[in-house]
Amino acid sequence: MRKRIVVTAGGGAVPAPVGMPVVLAVPASLEFVREARAEVGRWLGEQGVQDADAVYQAKVIVSELVTNAIVHVGEEAGGTLELLLYRADAGPVVEVRDSSDVRPEPCPLDASTVTGRGLAIVERLALAWGVNPLASGGKAVYAVLRTGSA
């Protein structure tokens, strides 16, 4: 079954949070990717997600989204990203906001390439994903996470 990709032109397509989101301002540095993975794992545990495969897949998704944002923003001094974790009617959501206006485009999965496969992986693992430009500039890229066999 193909995943639904939601690429929006703006305004309201990102799933609306149910309750307060966890918002982390993080440095635009590849050193943060491990921390982001750990944070999404802790947060899913707090949300009652017990399925180890679902938690692992969520960690892969957040790794890909954070890495993509860092690649497009660059590891410039003082650059930051925002990582948001929240519940929505569609399920748990991970969202990464950055200052780049470059819209992510998935590339085909190809075993011969070393880079450029991140969004194709997100497409396969997430229930849905999308991108929305931010009014302040930049973009929000989100993925609705699977929670297991339920």
Side-chain angles (χ1 to χ4, degrees):
M1 175 172 85
R2 296 291 299 166
K3 310 301 179 276
R4 182 174 55 93
I5 301 172
V6 182
V7 180
T8 64
V14 174
V18 175
M20 293 298 295
V22 172
V23 181
L24 302 168
V26 297
S29 169
L30 291 174
E31 294 174 10
F32 175 71
V33 175
R34 181 188 304 173
E35 215 174 301
R37 288 175 61 94
E39 187 61 37
V40 79
R42 277 191 296 275
W43 180 76
L44 285 172
E46 292 169 2
Q47 301 303 307
V49 176
Q50 302 288 322
D51 186 283
D53 288 337
V55 172
Y56 176 76
Q57 290 176 12
K59 288 179 177 182
V60 171
I61 289 169
V62 81
S63 293
E64 296 300 339
L65 294 183
V66 169
T67 300
N68 268 358
I70 292 167
V71 166
H72 288 289
V73 171
E75 291 190 73
E76 72 253 7
T80 60
L81 311 172
E82 283 187 332
L83 173 62
L84 289 79
L85 306 170
Y86 56 89
R87 283 254 182 218
D89 288 339
V93 176
V94 60
E95 180 179 324
V96 177
R97 295 179 177 189
D98 66 53
S99 61
S100 172
D101 292 322
V102 176
R103 296 181 67 84
E105 295 291 334
C107 298
L109 282 175
D110 181 348
S112 67
T113 60
V114 179
T115 64
R117 299 178 291 190
L119 288 177
I121 292 168
V122 170
E123 180 179 41
R124 300 249 177 168
L125 297 179
L127 288 173
W129 76 276
V131 59
N132 205 32
L134 298 171
S136 60
K139 66 186 170 296
V141 181
Y142 70 89
V144 180
L145 306 175
R146 297 179 185 279
T147 57
S149 58

